[in-house]
Amino acid sequence: MGLTVITSDVVSSVFASRECGLLLGDARQVLRTLAEDSVDCTVTSPPYYSGRRHVGDSVLEIGSEKTVEEYVEALASVGSEVYRVTRPTGSYWLNLDDKCERKEWLGIPWRVAFAMREIGWKIRNEVIWHKPRHVRNAAKDRLTPAHELLFHFVKSKGAYYDMEAIRRPASPPIWAKNGLVKTRSGSVPTDVWTIQIEDSPSPENDYVAFPEALVEPPIRATCPRGGTVLDPFVGSGTTVVVALRLGRKAIGIDASADCLEFTKKRILEVIGQPATPRQAPLNPTMKVDAASHQRHER
């Protein structure tokens, strides 16, 4: 991976190789240690607002803010650092869910999206992630929600985008009038993706998995081969695992040592090395601090 991406003074490194690095700590603080213009693509899903905590009840984590305004501000602070470390041709894919309080939706995804625009991000796409057979929060006076949003932000109009890498398969070749075989080109994907939620990749891990099918198109389309993919809320590690499988480098950040150890095992399996237990405990002073993040169930 090299020092151009991860500086040598990151003492909270959990795993490091030429292809991947895992960093422990508050994303807002860890991102400051990454070099400017060093990341091609970020794909992430932050903790939900008022969601479940994973790092400790005494820790002020993203998602545990008292107001939605504070939550949006926290995600904006992460988005600002992501903007700094992203190359001019780079992209930021941000998966967000809304929350209903007192029979009213808070509009969190678009609040965050507009906050990103204030930072300088340009909204290239709003993707609707439709989750079939997913029933939650059934109510008598409103429809059952079955989707989340995935925003695609870019730094510039000329952002890198490989449409051919995600184009849907073409229909079978047909015979033209002149007797030659004519092959139709595949279609461009729409902005509605039907993807089922995945079970945990391991029975040892009880987190809901960030679907690989949701992560793969953004990486294929907006990160060139050999480029670097970032996930500042890496959780169970789906983003970095998919990035490595697709021939990209990856950086994962999380406030949970347990999440990073689980992700490390998945990485070692991908690169063909046996997963081994941690030889020594991580530095407990680096695990969390007064501004550490909440872990999303992903």
Side-chain angles (χ1 to χ4, degrees), residues 8-292:
S8 59
D9 59 347
V10 179
V11 296
S12 55
S13 177
V14 173
F15 176 82
S17 70
R18 293 182 62 85
E19 292 78 25
C20 182
L22 297 179
L23 303 173
L24 177 67
D26 184 314
R28 291 164 289 191
Q29 297 178 5
V30 176
L31 284 169
R32 297 191 188 107
T33 69
L34 304 189
E36 186 174 339
D37 298 340
S38 60
V39 170
D40 294 282
C41 169
T42 295
V43 184
T44 194
S45 181
Y48 291 132
Y49 173 59
S50 298
R52 186 173 64 163
R53 297 184 178 187
H54 294 275
V55 184
D57 292 336
S58 62
V59 178
L60 179 59
E61 304 163 318
I62 282 186
S64 62
E65 292 79 8
K66 295 182 179 179
T67 66
V68 66
E69 288 79 13
E70 292 175 347
Y71 176 69
V72 172
E73 183 179 354
L75 291 185
S77 66
V78 174
S80 180
E81 283 299 314
V82 172
Y83 188 90
R84 182 187 65 80
V85 304
T86 301
R87 293 190 173 98
T89 55
S91 290
Y92 181 22
W93 294 81
L94 182 61
N95 169 224
L96 294 164
D97 194 17
D98 207 349
K99 184 176 180 61
C100 186
E101 285 187 349
R102 295 182 290 276
K103 295 186 178 293
E104 181 181 14
W105 289 103
L106 300 179
I108 292 174
W110 275 101
R111 290 195 191 194
V112 175
F114 287 134
M116 295 301 158
R117 290 186 64 188
E118 293 298 318
I119 293 169
W121 289 108
K122 304 178 188 301
I123 303 174
R124 178 61 59 87
N125 261 124
E126 173 211 14
V127 176
I128 296 174
W129 170 21
H130 168 228
K131 297 177 286 186
R133 303 185 304 279
H134 177 60
V135 178
R136 59 165 195 176
N137 302 330
K140 297 180 179 180
D141 56 356
R142 60 181 172 86
L143 303 178
T144 299
H147 78 282
E148 294 184 17
L149 297 185
L150 177 65
F151 287 103
H152 176 203
F153 303 103
V154 297
K155 290 186 73 170
S156 67
K157 294 180 180 179
Y160 174 85
Y161 205 104
D162 183 3
M163 184 62 74
E164 296 306 312
I166 61 171
R167 192 181 292 275
R168 291 179 175 175
S171 58
I174 60 175
W175 288 97
K177 293 182 179 180
N178 56 7
L180 297 177
V181 175
K182 182 178 180 181
T183 302
R184 297 175 179 174
S185 60
S187 61
V188 173
T190 70
D191 58 4
V192 178
W193 300 354
T194 299
I195 301 172
Q196 183 60 38
I197 291 178
E198 297 177 358
D199 294 329
S200 170
S202 169
E204 304 172 356
N205 188 287
D206 60 355
Y207 301 139
V208 176
F210 200 17
E212 292 192 11
L214 187 68
V215 174
E216 186 169 328
I219 294 177
R220 285 186 178 276
T222 61
C223 182
R225 290 190 64 86
T228 300
V229 178
L230 168 69
D231 188 344
F233 305 100
V234 75
S236 60
T238 299
T239 296
V240 297
V241 167
V242 172
L244 292 173
R245 285 176 179 166
L246 295 177
R248 277 73 169 175
K249 299 177 183 178
I251 303 172
I253 301 171
D254 208 284
S256 167
D258 291 338
C259 282
L260 291 182
E261 281 300 314
F262 179 78
T263 296
K264 178 181 176 180
K265 292 180 181 179
R266 295 185 68 188
I267 291 172
L268 292 175
E269 291 174 357
V270 170
I271 63 179
Q273 297 182 19
T276 57
R278 189 169 61 209
Q279 298 300 315
L282 295 170
N283 184 348
T285 62
M286 295 301 299
K287 181 175 181 181
V288 293
D289 55 34
S292 291

